[in-house]
Amino acid sequence: MRRHEKSLLPTIEANYQNLTESEKIVADFFLHHPYEEKRDYSQAAICKELTLSPSCLSRFSKKLGFRGYREFIFEYQKYAGEEAKDTKSTDQVFETYEEILSKTYSLINPEQISGLVDDLIHYKRIYVYGFGSSGLAAQEFKNRFIRVGLDVEAVTDTHALLINGFRLNEYALVIGISYSGATREVIEALIQAAGKGAKTVLITSRNEMHFHQRFSEVILCAVKKNLEYGDIISPQLPVLILIDRIYAEYINREKKRKMIYDASVETFVDRYINYQTGDKKEE
C-alpha cells in the first residue's frame, strides 16, 4: 500500500459549516480544484480569480487555525503533491476507501489519541453513545475494548440515554459518536454528562466551536460527503477506522495488561471445557 500524504482538505471539510458564504467560495475552490503545480496561488491571483477581497482569504485561513493566508497556502502546497485520481476508474469503491484513509491520516492528532487512551486506562466506567450507524460504531467500540478487560457500555437508544444520565459523575468517561454532528439526542446527552462532571469526548466529522466549548475533547473523523461515489460506502467506516487507531494505541500501551487478561480468559475456557468433558464422562 502506498504511503499516505498529509492534506489540508479534511481540515477544510471539517470546518466548512463554520464559514461565511464568501469564505465557502474559497473552500469550494480548494476542495473541487485539484492542485496544479503551475497555477499561481498568490493572494492577489486567487482574489482576482474568485472576485474576493484579501481580508476574506485571511479570515478563511484563520478559521482553519492558520495565522493568515500565506501560512495556509504554504502548508497547502507542501502537502498537495499527489496527483488527482482518474475518476473513470473501474473500481471506485477502493479509491474511496483509499481517500477516506488518507483523510483520516491527515486529521488524526496523535497527542489527542494518546490522551484518550490515558482516559480509557484511568476511568473505571466508560459509556459510548450513538444512534443509527453511529450506534453500530458504539457497539463495535464496546466489543473491541471489553475483550481487553475495560468496563465499556454502549448506549444506543433514547430511553437508555435518559436512564444512563442519572448514573453519571466525575468518575465516568462518556464518548459520544455523531458522525454528522447533528444527532440532537447524543449531543444533548453529552452536554448533560458534562454537567454531571463526567469527562466527555465527541467523535464527529463536524468541527463546531461550541463543541469545543462544551466537551472535554472533540476528535474529528474524515468527512465522506465530498468524496466521489461516497454514498456507496458504509457511513460508519471513517469512525471505525478511528476506533482501530485508538485500539492500536491502547494495545501498544497496555500489552502486559492484555496478556494477563488473555491468560485469565484462556484459563476460564479450559476450566469450562474440562467441566463439560467431565460431565459427559459421568453420563
Side-chain angles (χ1 to χ4, degrees):
M1 179 175 289
R2 66 181 175 80
R3 178 178 175 272
H4 292 296
E5 300 291 340
K6 283 282 187 179
S7 169
L8 291 185
L9 299 187
T11 302
I12 297 174
E13 291 174 322
N15 288 278
Y16 192 83
Q17 296 301 324
N18 300 327
L19 304 176
T20 65
E21 291 305 313
S22 57
E23 291 162 358
K24 285 180 179 178
I25 294 175
V26 184
D28 290 335
F29 171 79
F30 286 103
L31 288 173
H32 303 303
H33 291 80
Y35 173 73
E36 298 177 31
E37 189 174 351
K38 296 182 179 180
R39 180 190 284 270
D40 184 359
Y41 286 97
S42 66
Q43 186 177 70
I46 298 301
C47 284
K48 181 178 180 180
E49 183 170 349
L50 302 181
T51 320
L52 295 171
S53 66
S55 61
C56 180
L57 294 187
S58 178
R59 291 194 306 271
F60 163 79
S61 303
K62 289 178 180 179
K63 285 187 179 180
L64 299 186
F66 297 97
R67 286 173 292 184
Y69 179 75
R70 179 177 295 181
E71 185 179 43
F72 162 78
I73 202 62
F74 175 81
E75 293 297 316
Y76 172 76
Q77 291 177 308
K78 178 181 177 181
Y79 294 125
E82 184 181 358
E83 294 182 358
K85 294 181 175 68
D86 180 8
T87 58
K88 295 183 180 180
S89 171
T90 58
D91 204 336
Q92 300 294 346
V93 172
F94 286 104
E95 285 194 1
T96 306
Y97 274 32
E98 183 67 24
E99 192 158 357
I100 290 175
L101 287 170
S102 295
K103 289 184 177 218
T104 301
Y105 177 75
S106 295
L107 283 173
I108 279 180
N109 181 338
E111 293 182 1
Q112 195 175 40
I113 299 298
S114 180
L116 179 55
V117 170
D118 287 339
D119 292 335
L120 292 174
I121 295 170
H122 173 73
Y123 284 90
K124 302 302 180 184
R125 298 304 304 274
I126 303 164
Y127 302 96
V128 188
Y129 294 172
F131 283 3
S133 296
S134 295
L136 295 176
Q139 289 287 357
E140 174 62 20
F141 194 106
K142 169 191 171 180
N143 294 337
R144 185 69 64 87
F145 284 95
I146 205 170
R147 291 199 296 267
V148 292
L150 295 188
D151 188 359
V152 182
E153 184 173 342
V155 185
T156 59
D157 66 72
T158 304
H159 183 64
L161 278 179
L162 292 173
I163 294 176
N164 198 70
F166 295 104
R167 308 165 63 187
L168 301 178
N169 53 37
E170 66 272 20
Y171 302 108
L173 170 64
V174 183
I175 301 171
I177 302 176
S178 175
Y179 179 75
S180 65
T183 311
R184 180 176 54 83
E185 295 87 349
V186 172
I187 300 301
E188 289 181 356
L190 211 58
I191 293 173
Q192 182 187 31
K196 292 287 190 73
K199 179 72 177 284
T200 52
V201 178
L202 175 64
I203 296 176
T204 183
S205 67
R206 191 166 180 171
N207 194 20
E208 293 283 356
M209 181 59 66
H210 68 93
F211 291 159
H212 294 274
Q213 295 169 344
R214 290 176 168 175
F215 307 134
S216 308
E217 288 286 347
V218 178
I219 300 180
L220 296 176
C221 54
V223 177
K224 179 175 65 66
K225 64 182 179 180
N226 287 325
L227 296 178
E228 192 153 11
Y229 295 90
D231 57 341
I232 62 174
I233 299 299
S234 299
Q236 66 266 32
L237 177 63
V239 181
L240 294 178
I241 294 172
L242 185 58
I243 291 173
D244 285 344
R245 177 63 178 82
I246 296 167
Y247 183 76
E249 176 78 14
Y250 178 87
I251 292 301
N252 187 54
R253 295 258 302 273
E254 291 289 282
K255 287 180 181 178
K256 184 176 180 180
R257 174 174 173 169
K258 184 178 184 300
M259 288 173 64
I260 294 172
Y261 182 78
D262 288 346
S264 300
V265 172
E266 186 176 347
T267 300
F268 173 80
V269 171
D270 287 342
R271 288 177 179 175
Y272 178 77
I273 292 174
N274 291 335
Y275 174 78
Q276 292 289 80
T277 304
D279 283 350
K280 290 181 180 180
K281 287 181 179 178
E282 288 179 4
E283 292 175 1

